[in-house]
Amino acid sequence: MARRLAAAVLLVLALAGCGGSSTNGEAKKPAAQVVADAQKAAGSARIVHVVGTGIDNGRPLKLDLWLENGRGKGHLEESGAGFDVVRVGDAMYVKGSSAFLKRFAGGAAAALLHDRWLKSSATKGPLAALAPLTDKRQFVRAALGQHGKLENKGLVDRGGTKVVQIADTTQGGSLFVAAEGTPYPVALAGGRAQGSVTFSGWDAGEQIAAPKSALDLSKLTGR
């Protein structure tokens, strides 16, 4: 009986030890491999929620987007002018604030277009510049693919979550990758003159669909 009890205690301790070490091994890998693993994980997911700030042609940008490959939806704000956006394949849709519409179409047109969804091409025309921001593949490539020399800082705690910190020692800033489970990107903290974004909702059930009754700008402009 004593031997069986001792064996049971050892088994429980061994299982507890295994359970307490649930990290995915990214903390011990070379920095470049961690980034590659994060890119692969991001590519395998259907959808992601991205929230943060950035710089677009020297202008401050705020974003709150759900992104798939070739699809996206959410809200963007550039230099104080905010607008909702939806992208479905080659079609881009926007519904802007008064400030955005005045900048985009002028004061007279802004009154007519207020609270209307506008449709245009995602590959050419006035809304095509939004395409890289509304596609998961392009967004992740831009966010994770442009860096200098990398250094793996190992495990750190970020808001109560175990993550692996990959520091860009050339340009500044860090990428944080999940240290448990699938090594999804968790956050990107920009360096000098860069923005910062958080990634969440990987493979969530969020759906993206085209708005109804959108005004097709190509029929108004001929483009």
Side-chain angles (χ1 to χ4, degrees):
M1 175 67 74
R3 285 196 297 272
R4 289 198 296 270
L5 180 60
V9 170
L10 289 174
L11 177 60
V12 169
L13 291 175
L15 291 174
C18 292
S21 179
S22 59
T23 56
N24 55 21
E26 296 295 324
K28 298 180 180 180
K29 294 182 179 181
Q33 184 60 55
V34 178
V35 174
D37 290 348
Q39 290 174 316
K40 182 178 179 180
S44 68
R46 182 185 69 86
I47 196 168
V48 63
H49 188 203
V50 181
V51 178
T53 60
I55 303 295
D56 181 32
N57 293 323
R59 296 187 294 267
L61 177 72
K62 295 182 180 180
L63 52 92
D64 185 341
L65 300 167
W66 283 95
L67 302 177
E68 295 182 30
N69 289 340
R71 288 174 177 253
K73 72 173 183 179
H75 187 78
L76 293 165
E77 182 178 318
E78 186 177 88
S79 300
F83 57 98
D84 295 326
V85 60
V86 175
R87 188 258 183 94
V88 178
D90 289 337
M92 189 76 68
Y93 304 83
V94 296
K95 183 169 70 172
S97 63
S98 296
F100 170 80
L101 289 172
K102 287 179 180 178
R103 182 184 302 173
F104 178 75
L112 296 174
L113 301 176
H114 179 70
D115 206 32
R116 291 287 307 272
W117 279 103
L118 309 177
K119 178 183 177 181
S120 186
S121 172
T123 60
K124 60 182 180 180
L127 302 181
L130 297 175
L133 293 174
T134 52
D135 177 86
K136 177 175 71 72
R137 186 185 298 107
Q138 288 181 280
F139 190 98
V140 171
R141 185 186 301 123
L144 276 61
Q146 302 176 18
H147 54 73
K149 184 178 179 180
L150 301 175
E151 180 180 350
N152 188 337
K153 296 288 189 178
L155 284 174
V156 299
D157 182 277
R158 185 177 175 87
T161 300
K162 289 181 180 179
V163 295
V164 178
Q165 180 181 359
I166 303 299
D168 187 332
T169 59
T170 304
Q171 302 177 24
S174 290
L175 170 67
F176 298 91
V177 176
E180 298 175 321
T182 305
Y184 290 123
V186 172
L188 184 66
R192 297 178 296 273
Q194 296 175 330
S196 298
V197 295
T198 60
F199 301 90
S200 63
W202 290 103
D203 259 342
E206 192 75 16
Q207 300 297 317
I208 300 173
K212 297 180 179 179
S213 303
L215 180 62
D216 193 337
L217 292 179
S218 66
K219 295 181 180 180
L220 298 178
T221 63
R223 293 183 296 172

